[in-house]
């Protein structure tokens, strides 16, 4: 873990060394902080979107299940986590549940103790709820005949879902998912309120040193850059999905 | 636009336009400022602000504001002064002006009783502080830019996390720490209080020398007539000026 941390620091020191002279003075003075924060935001985003996509897919499948209990549970998942503000979710888990302390939380304590872990979990759950809805919409656009045809070929429902319905649903839902990923990136700034030093957390610390409004401009540029990277990544996947 | 600005400036300058003086405070820094059960902002800072207003014979409006946005709000004319136990620092002086100090602050390290922590050893463990405060800048000097320093939006949130056991210690301002310790006997001040020569003043906009001077006169006034001592004794049992 510490090796990984050192690697991240080395990356930001390297980036800042290379960017010296070409970046504005106000940015260069705090460059490693911005890049440290940028890497934390990137890391949270990659992990939560990957985990969220897996959980969201399961929830979407549960939403079109034949079992009523499963359908209801999946509906409730989406309803609760889409229907409440991300900030409230973060605070309930971090300050609310977390304040029970190590005695009551037992083996769960290492999770609740870490702002980073709570942030990652809440972002994951939150985005999974949106992804589930997006995917359900994608499945809904497919003609029912496809499932019937797959079943009459002898496929099980699960296999039909995996091989026939989901791949198509992903293709339909992908542009909407791109939108959700950008929203997730922006929402991730809220983890700075639970002590995570993401890009927003670092920016606020830098801002506190001189109250220069430039500070937030640099941060906005970095977020926009991240959005650009994400959009490029999404495009690449979209192209592959089309060929498939 | 310029005309409007001039008009506004004239309006502000004329004594006839007795606009209430807008004073910002934090509202999450007991016993200096906190929001009570009725939703009112109360505390030492508020009492001082009100006493100053009474002395200046001006009507005042108290506004509760998030800490890390409190200086930008002043600069952008959302209010006229900040009475929020704000340390007079060189960095802040580049953006705002301060009155004479109205009390001296010290820092303390708080930890669980028997933790064995020392002030010199804080870099080894997770330490908390309020974001954008004198405590956080001091703590950062101790642990370094990449040390395990957790920053909280309010001092109260850092107390909550110390109590929960997420962090081993926090760097806090002296008087709020004493106030909190009263209800939290399991915790203690580590070592001696830390004197960094911290003076607390009222912040005003840089172009507002008139208000700064008026506040200085009023401050002297409430100290001389015993109002200050009375308020201070009510909160701390002693005069902290």
């Amino acid at each position: 873990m510490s090796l990984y941390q050192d690697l991240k620091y080395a990356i930001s020191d390297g980036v800042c060394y290379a960017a010296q002279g070409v970046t504005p003075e106000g940015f260069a003075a705090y460059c490693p902080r911005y890049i440290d924060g940028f890497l934390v935001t990137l890391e949270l985003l990659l992990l939560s979107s990957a985990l969220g996509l897996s959980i969201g897919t399961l929830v979407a499948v549960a939403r079109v299940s034949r079992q009523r209990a499963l359908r209801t549970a999946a509906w409730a998942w989406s309803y609760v986590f889409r229907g409440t503000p991300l900030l409230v979710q973060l605070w309930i888990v971090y300050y609310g549940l977390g304040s029970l302390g190590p005695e009551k939380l037992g083996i769960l304590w290492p999770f609740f103790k870490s702002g980073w872990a709570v942030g990652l979990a809440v972002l994951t759950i939150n985005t999974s709820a949106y992804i589930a809805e997006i995917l359900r919409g994608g499945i809904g656009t497919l003609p029912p005949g496809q499932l019937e045809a797959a079943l009459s070929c002898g496929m099980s429902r699960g296999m039909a879902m995996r091989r026939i319905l989901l791949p198509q649903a992903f293709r339909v839902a992908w542009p909407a998912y791109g939108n959700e990923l950008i929203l997730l990136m922006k929402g991730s700034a809220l983890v700075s309120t639970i002590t995570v030093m993401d890009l927003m957390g670092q920016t606020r610390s830098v801002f506190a040193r001189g109250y220069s409004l430039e500070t937030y401009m640099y941060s906005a540029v970095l977020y926009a850059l991240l959005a650009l990277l994400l959009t490029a990544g999404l495009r690449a996947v979209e192209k592959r999905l089309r060929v498939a | 636009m310029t005309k409007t600005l001039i008009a506004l400036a004239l309006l502000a300058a004329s004594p006839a336009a007795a606009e209430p003086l807008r004073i910002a405070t934090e509202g999450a820094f007991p016993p200096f400022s906190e929001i009570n059960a009725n939703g009112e902002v109360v505390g030492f800072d508020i009492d001082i602000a009100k006493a100053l207003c009474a002395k200046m014979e001006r009507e005042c409006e108290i506004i509760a504001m998030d800490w890390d946005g409190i200086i930008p709000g002043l600069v952008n004319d959302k209010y006229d002064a900040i009475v929020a136990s704000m340390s007079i620092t060189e960095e802040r002086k580049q953006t705002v002006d301060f009155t004479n100090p109205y009390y001296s602050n010290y820092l303390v390290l708080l930890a669980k009783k028997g933790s064995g922590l020392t002030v010199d050893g804080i870099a080894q463990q997770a330490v908390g502080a309020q974001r954008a405060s004198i405590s956080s800048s001091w703590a950062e000097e101790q642990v370094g830019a990449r040390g395990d320093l957790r920053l909280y939006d309010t001092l109260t949130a850092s107390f909550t996390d110390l109590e929960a056991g997420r962090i081993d210690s926090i760097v806090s301002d002296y008087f709020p720490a004493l106030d909190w310790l009263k209800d939290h006997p399991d915790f203690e001040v580590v070592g001696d209080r830390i004197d960094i020569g911290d003076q607390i003043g009222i912040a005003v906009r840089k172009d507002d020398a008139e208000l700064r001077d008026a506040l200085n006169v009023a401050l002297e006034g409430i100290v001389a007539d015993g109002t200050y001592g009375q308020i201070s004794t009510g909160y701390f049992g002693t005069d902290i000026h």
Side-chain angles (χ1 to χ4, degrees):
Chain A
M1 195 64 203
S2 143
L3 190 73
Y4 172 64
Q5 190 64 58
D6 290 344
L7 178 72
K8 277 202 295 181
Y9 287 157
I11 291 174
S12 55
D13 288 342
V15 168
C16 290
Y17 184 75
Q20 240 175 5
V22 294
T23 44
E25 207 177 303
F27 177 81
Y30 295 107
C31 177
R33 282 173 172 269
Y34 285 110
I35 308 297
D36 283 358
F38 182 88
L39 292 175
V40 171
T41 295
L42 180 66
E43 159 193 277
L44 279 174
L45 212 56
L46 292 179
L47 288 171
S48 64
S49 59
L51 291 168
L53 203 55
S54 326
I55 298 173
T57 307
L58 294 177
V59 177
V61 171
R63 284 222 53 178
V64 296
S65 154
R66 273 177 307 179
Q67 284 170 26
R68 200 195 174 99
L70 215 55
R71 273 206 315 267
T72 312
W75 170 84
W77 180 272
S78 290
Y79 177 74
V80 169
F81 295 115
R82 286 198 317 161
T84 53
L86 180 59
L87 182 64
V88 173
Q89 295 168 10
L90 283 168
W91 285 17
I92 286 179
V93 181
Y94 187 83
Y95 287 115
L97 296 176
S99 70
L100 292 173
E103 290 83 18
K104 288 188 190 128
L105 290 167
I107 53 161
L108 293 175
W109 177 242
F111 164 76
F112 282 99
K113 189 177 175 185
S114 154
W116 186 88
V118 169
L120 175 62
V122 173
L123 287 176
T124 299
I125 289 172
N126 188 276
T127 192
S128 79
Y130 283 93
I131 292 169
E133 284 306 297
I134 292 167
L135 265 184
R136 184 186 68 105
I139 296 170
T141 61
L142 306 174
Q146 292 209 5
L147 177 64
E148 284 158 25
L151 293 178
S152 62
C153 288
M155 283 191 188
S156 70
R157 252 187 98 89
M159 186 185 270
M161 191 57 88
R162 273 200 314 277
R163 297 236 178 122
I164 310 292
L165 298 182
L166 276 180
Q168 299 183 80
F170 267 112
R171 213 171 299 169
V172 175
W174 199 254
Y177 173 64
N179 205 14
E180 162 55 19
L181 191 58
I182 302 288
L183 289 174
L184 178 67
M185 176 195 84
K186 293 190 283 190
S188 75
L190 291 173
V191 300
S192 69
T193 63
I194 57 166
T195 75
V196 179
M197 284 305 237
D198 70 330
L199 180 51
M200 187 65 185
Q202 294 283 10
T203 305
R204 291 170 72 192
S205 284
V206 175
F207 181 68
R209 306 191 137 239
Y211 303 102
S212 153
L213 286 169
E214 275 170 61
T215 316
Y216 285 110
M217 289 299 299
Y218 299 138
S219 164
V221 169
L222 285 173
Y223 272 114
L225 201 67
L226 186 53
L228 203 66
L229 283 174
L230 293 175
T231 315
L234 287 161
R235 277 272 162 69
V237 175
E238 200 176 328
K239 263 192 189 153
R240 286 194 65 119
L241 281 177
R242 234 180 257 147
V243 176
Chain B
M1 185 67 200
T2 325
K3 264 187 190 160
T4 332
L5 280 178
I6 293 170
L8 279 174
L10 285 174
L11 206 65
S14 69
E19 289 276 309
L21 186 64
R22 297 161 304 166
I23 296 181
T25 193
E26 190 192 353
F29 197 68
F32 291 91
S33 68
E34 61 190 302
I35 314 255
N36 71 8
N38 300 326
E40 300 152 344
V41 204
V42 295
F44 177 81
D45 281 337
I46 288 83
D47 289 354
I48 292 293
K50 284 182 178 160
L52 290 171
C53 293
K55 202 74 185 165
M56 295 191 294
E57 292 174 350
R58 282 194 70 169
E59 212 178 300
C60 281
E61 188 189 336
I62 306 281
I63 299 159
M65 180 72 200
D66 282 345
W67 182 248
D68 67 347
I70 207 164
I71 286 191
L74 175 68
V75 173
N76 294 323
D77 203 17
K78 304 271 186 261
Y79 31 78
D80 308 301
I82 302 171
V83 184
S85 293
M86 184 174 278
S87 303
I88 304 172
T89 66
E90 285 308 316
E91 279 160 339
R92 285 177 183 147
K93 271 203 223 161
Q94 288 174 8
T95 315
V96 294
D97 258 1
F98 284 97
T99 61
N100 297 329
Y102 66 97
Y103 75 91
S104 303
N105 177 47
Y106 306 89
L107 301 182
V108 283
L109 189 67
L110 287 181
K112 205 156 202 146
K113 271 184 183 159
S115 67
L117 271 179
T118 60
V119 174
D120 298 328
I122 62 170
Q124 270 80 54
Q125 276 167 305
V127 57
Q130 181 178 15
R131 193 191 298 277
S133 70
I134 194 95
S135 314
S136 67
S137 4
W138 184 82
E140 204 174 282
E141 277 168 31
Q142 312 302 310
V143 304
R146 281 169 174 170
D148 194 359
L149 173 63
R150 316 274 173 87
L151 298 174
Y152 297 85
D153 291 352
T154 62
L155 184 64
T156 0
S158 71
F159 284 144
T160 309
D161 255 13
L162 177 66
E163 204 182 347
R166 279 203 180 97
I167 43 182
D168 304 295
S169 65
I170 57 173
V171 179
S172 162
D173 295 299
Y174 180 63
F175 294 108
L178 292 194
D179 190 63
W180 182 77
L181 284 175
K182 274 191 249 163
D183 309 319
H184 297 84
D186 294 347
F187 294 86
E188 65 181 357
V189 170
V190 174
D192 295 325
R193 63 184 189 181
I194 304 151
D195 187 358
I196 53 167
D198 186 20
Q199 299 290 311
I200 303 298
I202 299 168
V204 295
R205 272 184 299 279
K206 270 195 172 297
D207 56 9
D208 210 351
E210 198 185 340
L211 177 61
R212 188 197 57 205
D213 297 342
L215 284 167
N216 274 334
V217 172
L219 191 58
E220 261 174 57
I222 61 166
V223 171
D225 71 10
T227 315
Y228 185 103
Q230 217 174 8
I231 296 171
S232 175
T233 314
Y235 282 95
F236 308 106
T238 160
D239 190 338
I240 64 170
H241 187 255

